[in-house]
């Protein structure tokens, strides 16, 4: 456990040692605000909730979270520090989790930076704060999944750009996997059971309930299983790429 | 050689493990989606996803089996994902119901694919097909419930617009099938509640939406406005704007009430619904005497104006559309209710349209319990001002007197008959004349509140009527009847609509701005009219008597014209200012969230990085020194 925390601290301080983290946070807050107020029309709409914000968040995450995850493994691989990491007395899965946790913590910080939005709707009216709290949890859970996917893509290649693009692409598939675009494509090549299976992995299906204040078992199962699967895939990727 | 082999087998192992993991991932999510959706935590403020106690009790009290079949065309969910999700929700709720019913409720799915027998069956039962996008046929998404006596209840189509009322609709269906023995309500009204035919066009006017809702819970027996006797098996008498009643009818009502049977009366000093019959609806001396005997009176020809609770309406103000508060139309919030009374269960607001004021009559000897009261910023408005209403003028001449007005009240206790001399000669009735008895009366001072447009939006969805309530008016009546006639089974079951929580701060700004600027606007308008009049006077003088104007008079005309121009300009500015405050708040809010917060982060970042760098160089310096 302490080994995981060591990797976690190393990774997280790495973010904040450079301006990158702050630039990212600024962009995240600004984009979130712009989408919420100018595309989602939060103020003109006149309703005291944060739906305009949370409705756009998955798409914002889709682009921004891979930017965090892309450097988890690719950077180490490229600069050669991965060999150093592997000689330390920790197992691969501990490193994987440690790095992933650092990403989660960073996204949590980013979400905290958007709390002024929450305060704003409370100033303008009296929203259902339970719903908003659950929505934030849902957003963090979503980020956990995206980070797990991104960390796997990052482990596959030493090129950060490719890691980014792959993470966005795979993320996109999961975000849209409940829609006809993907399902029809799958239906053409696979039996109906697989189609429902892919549908059950859809981000939007589970996320939507969360933005309405409902935490249900399928959503929890989805978050835990997806994260576990992609972190496992990351571990396999890192193991396989180990020299010898 | 061995290394390559080792790597290859390691790779195979890894890939195989991943494939199995992927299958497990899909499998576990499929399984969870099917079987686990009942395990959930509802964190909304109103608990809108938690099943109410009423539903639980209806389900647990089921003693005969009830079967609900859901007809669904999968293509609907595939092509319109929001309906796919709605389907999941309905299915999970039905399954939850089945769990709670101890096996008495059975749920089954029918796949209504195109060109199947099931699809034909769906149409035959009366379910509504919805056209699929892209014109690929129609899809079914409805429920058919049956019970042991083969009665059929259907929900023709589960429209998305009613998704917040899903629990209400489902439980109501189960309740109807469970045949819990509906209470009977005798209803008399001069208003066309049951619908009628438009005399001019011959078109059928549908019954009021509130009637449909009542019929779900009660058996409604319509009485003619001149009825001789209240049916013996009536559990409650409901009078809605009874108008002029004759002696026989008045006597029947009097005796029914004194027998201790519950009476709900909606008496209205001004009918918005039926302007032609306004005078008839005001009621006769016999009706007033009944009310007095029960312990209340309604101030005639006056309605309550309450500025704090008045609703905003669109009004054409001298050619300019405006949004103004209309004093007689009220939106009464929870704070105006006597909340300890169970009648207000699950009701958050009630809409009134020109209601009268109820005052107690102490000589009756009954207790007068106010249920809904206006704010102290209220006053009575004469009915004649409502005939061609000018909301702005009403606001101007409004003088609140600090008194609260009662819009609904209960009267209970021992009362005397309004027929002091006993039974009238030409009236035949069963039994002895009751001279005094315990009464159970609920009086409401507005009948318009039951009319569709004053409490709900009634629209069409796929050719069916869909009712979206804006306030709890119908529920209030249903609660009242259940409370007074017994049958508590469904108390607490109401459409937990997601009430729109609006920006109260913005609404406040709007109200304040309106108040401020309307006054200013009126002053300016007045000046404008005066100036205009002076100008026309001057001009007409110069034309009529061929009198040539003096230079002073000509200058006077110029001055007047200039003043009119200035006044008009000020008026336009006033109208612009109405939105200024609201827009300013909006800009501030956006600036803070989009610019200020990132700026703070940037400053924080600079500070933290600078501190780290100076610490690093300080320790480096120390290192060098050593």
């Amino acid at each position: 456990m302490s080994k995981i925390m060591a990797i976690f601290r190393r990774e997280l301080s790495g973010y904040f040692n450079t301006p990158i983290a702050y630039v990212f946070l600024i962009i995240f807050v600004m984009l979130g605000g712009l989408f919420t107020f100018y595309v989602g029309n939060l103020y003109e709409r006149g309703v005291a909730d944060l739906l305009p914000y949370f409705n756009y968040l998955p798409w914002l995450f889709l682009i921004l979270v891979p930017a965090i995850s892309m450097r988890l493994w690719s950077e180490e691989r490229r600069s050669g520090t991965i060999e150093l990491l592997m000689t330390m007395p920790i197992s691969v899965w501990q490193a994987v989790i440690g790095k992933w946790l650092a990403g989660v913590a960073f996204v949590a910080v980013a979400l905290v930076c958007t709390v002024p939005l929450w305060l704003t709707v409370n100033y303008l009216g009296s929203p259902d704060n339970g719903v908003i709290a659950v929505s934030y949890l849902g957003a963090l859970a979503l980020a956990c999944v995206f980070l797990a996917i991104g960390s796997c893509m990052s482990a596959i290649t030493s090129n950060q750009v490719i890691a980014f693009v792959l993470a966005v692409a795979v993320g996109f598939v999961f975000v849209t996997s409940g829609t006809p675009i993907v399902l029809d494509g799958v239906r053409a090549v696979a039996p109906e059971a697989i189609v429902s299976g892919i549908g059950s992995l859809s981000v939007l299906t589970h996320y939507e309930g969360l933005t309405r204040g409902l935490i249900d078992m399928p959503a929890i199962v989805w978050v835990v299983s997806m994260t576990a699967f992609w972190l496992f895939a990351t571990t396999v990727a890192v193991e396989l790429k180990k020299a010898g | 050689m061995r290394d390559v082999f080792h790597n290859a087998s390691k790779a195979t192992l890894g890939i195989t493990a991943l494939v199995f993991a992927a299958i497990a991932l899909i499998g576990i999510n499929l399984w969870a989606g099917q079987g686990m959706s009942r395990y959930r935590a509802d964190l909304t403020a109103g608990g809108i996803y938690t099943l109410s106690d009423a539903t639980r009790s209806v389900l647990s009290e089921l003693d005969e089996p009830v079967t609900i079949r859901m007809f669904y065309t999968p293509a609907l969910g595939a092509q319109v994902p929001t309906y796919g999700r709605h389907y999941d929700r309905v299915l999970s709720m039905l399954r939850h119901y089945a769990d709670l019913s101890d096996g008495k409720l059975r749920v089954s799915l029918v796949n209504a694919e195109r060109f199947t027998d099931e699809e034909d069956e769906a149409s035959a039962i009366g379910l509504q097909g919805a056209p699929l996008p892209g014109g690929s046929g129609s899809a079914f998404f409805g429920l058919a419930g049956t019970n042991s006596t083969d009665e059929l209840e259907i929900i023709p189509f589960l429209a998305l617009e009613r998704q917040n009322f899903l629990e209400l609709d489902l439980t109501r269906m189960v309740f109807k099938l469970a045949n819990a023995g509906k209470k009977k309500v005798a209803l008399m009204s001069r208003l066309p509640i049951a619908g009628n035919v438009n005399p001019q066009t011959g078109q059928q006017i549908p019954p009021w939406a509130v009637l449909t809702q009542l019929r779900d819970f009660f058996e409604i027996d319509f009485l003619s406005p001149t009825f001789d006797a209240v049916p013996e098996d009536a559990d409650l008498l409901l009078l809605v704007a009874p108008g002029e009643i004759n002696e026989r009818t008045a006597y029947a009502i009097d005796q029914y009430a004194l027998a201790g049977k519950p009476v709900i009366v909606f008496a209205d000093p001004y009918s918005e619904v039926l302007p032609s019959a306004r005078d008839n609806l005001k009621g006769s001396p016999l009706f007033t005497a009944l009310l007095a005997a029960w312990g209340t009176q309604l101030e005639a020809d006056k309605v309550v104006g309450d500025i704090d609770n008045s609703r905003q309406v669109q009004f054409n103000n001298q050619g300019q559309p405006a949004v103004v508060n209309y004093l007689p139309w009220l939106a009464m919030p929870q704070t105006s209710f006597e909340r300890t009374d169970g009648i207000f269960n699950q009701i958050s607001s009630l809409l009134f349209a020109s209601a009268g004021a109820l005052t107690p009559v102490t000589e009756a000897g009954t207790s007068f319990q106010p249920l809904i009261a206006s704010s102290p910023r209220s006053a009575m408005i004469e009915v004649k001002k409502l005939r061609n209403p000018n909301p702005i003028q009403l606001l101007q001449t409004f003088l609140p007197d600090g008194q609260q007005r009662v819009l609904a009240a209960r009267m209970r206790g021992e009362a005397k008959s309004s027929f002091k001399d006993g039974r009238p000669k030409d009236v035949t009735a069963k039994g002895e004349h009751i001279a005094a008895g315990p009464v159970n009366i609920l009086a409401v001072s507005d009948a318009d509140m039951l009319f569709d447009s004053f409490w709900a939006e009634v629209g069409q969805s796929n050719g069916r009527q869909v009712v979206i309530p804006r306030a709890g008016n119908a529920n209030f009546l249903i609660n009242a009847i259940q409370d007074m006639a017994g049958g508590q089974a469904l108390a607490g079951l109401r459409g937990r609509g997601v009430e729109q929580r609006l920006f109260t701060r913005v609404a406040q700004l709007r109200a304040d701005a309106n108040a401020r600027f309307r006054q200013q606007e009126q002053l300016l308008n007045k000046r404008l009219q005066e100036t205009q009049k002076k100008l026309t006077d001057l001009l007409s003088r110069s034309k009529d008597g061929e009198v040539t104007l003096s230079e002073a008079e000509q200058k006077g005309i110029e001055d007047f014209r200039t003043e009119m121009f200035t006044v008009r300009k000020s008026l336009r500015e006033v109208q612009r200012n109405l939105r200024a405050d609201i827009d300013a708040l909006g800009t501030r809010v956006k600036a803070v969230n989009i610019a200020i917060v990132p700026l703070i982060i940037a400053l924080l970042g600079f500070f933290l990085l600078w501190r780290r760098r100076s610490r690093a160089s300080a320790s480096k310096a120390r290192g060098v020194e050593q």
Side-chain angles (χ1 to χ4, degrees), chain A residues 17 43 48 123 126 128 212 215, chain B residues 41 45 49 501 505 582 612:
Chain A
N17 263 336
Y43 186 72
Y123 171 73
S126 63
D128 186 338
R212 285 185 287 116
I215 305 181
Chain B
Y49 299 110
R501 290 160 177 261
R505 201 168 286 263
I582 296 175
R612 204 171 281 221

Side-chain angles (χ1 to χ4, degrees), chain A residues 13 16-19 22 25-26 29-30 33-34 37-38 42-49 113-118 120-131 133-134 174 178-180 183-184 187 193-194 196-198 200-202 204-206 208-209 212-218 221-223 225-227 229-230 232-234 236-237 239-242 244, chain B residues 3 6-7 10-15 17-26 28-34 36-50 77-82 85 88-89 163 500-506 509 579 581-590 592-595 597-599 601-606 608-609 612-613:
Chain A
S13 58
F16 287 102
N17 263 336
T18 69
Y22 301 99
L25 288 176
I26 290 173
V29 171
M30 284 188 73
L34 284 171
F37 284 106
Y38 289 101
L42 179 69
Y43 186 72
E44 287 74 17
R45 199 168 150 262
V47 180
D49 62 20
C113 289
T114 66
V115 160
L117 271 176
W118 193 349
T120 303
V121 281
N122 267 295
Y123 171 73
L124 291 174
S126 63
D128 186 338
N129 287 312
V131 172
V134 172
F174 279 108
T179 65
L183 289 180
D184 284 346
R187 196 168 279 133
I194 305 261
S196 341
I198 305 278
S200 71
L201 295 180
S202 158
L204 291 179
T205 312
H206 299 289
E208 199 205 23
R212 285 185 287 116
L214 192 61
I215 305 181
D216 65 350
M217 212 41 158
V221 167
W222 177 80
V223 170
S225 62
M226 281 283 273
T227 311
F229 173 77
W230 287 104
F232 174 64
T234 312
V236 169
E239 280 276 14
L240 287 184
K241 288 245 174 169
K242 252 166 50 168
Chain B
D3 280 344
H6 177 79
N7 282 344
K10 204 168 126 188
T12 325
L13 192 62
I15 308 273
L18 272 181
V19 169
F20 275 117
I23 296 176
L25 175 70
I26 296 182
I28 199 176
N29 275 288
L30 261 179
W31 167 75
Q34 305 274 4
M36 303 266 281
S37 50
R38 74 186 61 151
Y39 298 106
R40 66 234 289 238
D42 176 8
L43 271 82
T44 56
I48 59 185
Y49 299 110
T50 315
Q79 291 188 23
V80 188
T82 34
R85 290 195 276 274
D88 289 334
R89 227 173 287 144
Q163 62 176 313
Q500 298 253 292
R501 290 160 177 261
L502 300 174
F503 285 153
T504 48
R505 201 168 286 263
V506 176
L509 279 180
R579 277 221 56 96
D581 285 344
I582 296 175
D583 289 341
L585 177 62
T587 315
R588 273 203 308 275
V589 156
K590 290 175 195 173
V592 165
N593 280 291
I594 299 177
V597 172
L599 193 64
I601 298 176
L603 290 173
L604 198 67
F606 275 126
L608 286 173
L609 285 176
R612 204 171 281 221
R613 210 158 286 178

Side-chain angles (χ1 to χ4, degrees), chain B residues 9 12 21 29 53 55 100 133 143 164 205 322 342 349 424 481 493 495 509:
Chain B
S9 73
T12 325
N29 275 288
D53 288 336
T55 301
L100 290 173
L143 298 178
N164 290 323
I205 300 176
S349 70
I481 299 175
L493 173 72
L509 279 180

Side-chain angles (χ1 to χ4, degrees), chain B residues 65-251:
Chain B
V66 169
T67 309
I68 295 186
R69 297 162 73 207
M70 174 142 79
F71 286 78
Y72 179 64
T73 311
L76 178 64
Q79 291 188 23
V80 188
T82 34
Y83 267 105
R85 290 195 276 274
H86 192 35
Y87 164 77
D88 289 334
R89 227 173 287 144
V90 176
L91 187 57
S92 102
M93 194 175 263
L94 280 174
R95 290 218 166 101
H96 199 168
Y97 273 41
D99 286 342
L100 290 173
S101 72
D102 220 15
K104 288 282 165 19
L105 176 69
R106 280 192 286 267
V107 177
S108 71
L109 294 175
V110 180
N111 189 339
E113 287 276 17
R114 304 261 302 140
F115 310 122
T116 55
D117 292 337
E118 286 80 15
E119 194 197 22
D120 293 337
E121 193 189 351
S123 304
I125 295 179
L127 298 185
Q128 186 95 13
L132 281 171
S136 47
S138 33
F140 285 97
F141 185 26
L143 298 178
T146 50
N147 59 12
S148 52
T149 51
D150 282 339
E151 283 168 51
L152 175 70
E153 288 291 334
I154 59 168
I155 296 180
F157 191 81
L158 288 152
L160 272 179
E161 293 90 348
R162 277 202 66 93
Q163 62 176 313
N164 290 323
F165 302 97
L166 184 60
E167 186 193 350
L168 177 68
D169 291 341
L170 288 180
T171 304
R172 212 187 278 198
M173 177 190 244
V174 175
F175 176 72
K176 284 196 262 191
L177 288 168
N179 257 335
K182 289 184 188 171
K183 295 283 174 180
K184 191 166 174 196
V185 173
L187 168 59
M188 187 275 263
S189 174
R190 294 260 180 199
L191 297 173
I193 298 182
N196 60 2
V197 182
N198 185 323
Q200 288 163 336
T201 64
Q203 248 193 330
Q204 191 79 22
I205 300 176
W208 292 13
V210 69
L211 182 63
T212 323
Q213 304 234 337
L214 284 176
R215 280 198 166 123
D216 279 345
F217 297 93
F218 315 108
E219 215 184 293
I220 309 289
D221 190 4
F222 278 95
L223 305 177
S224 96
T226 52
F227 68 85
D228 282 349
V230 182
E232 287 204 350
D233 55 352
D235 295 304
L236 181 140
L237 176 63
L238 175 59
L239 302 166
V240 180
E244 292 239 3
I245 48 176
N246 64 29
E247 202 180 39
R248 262 196 271 263
T249 312
Y251 186 72

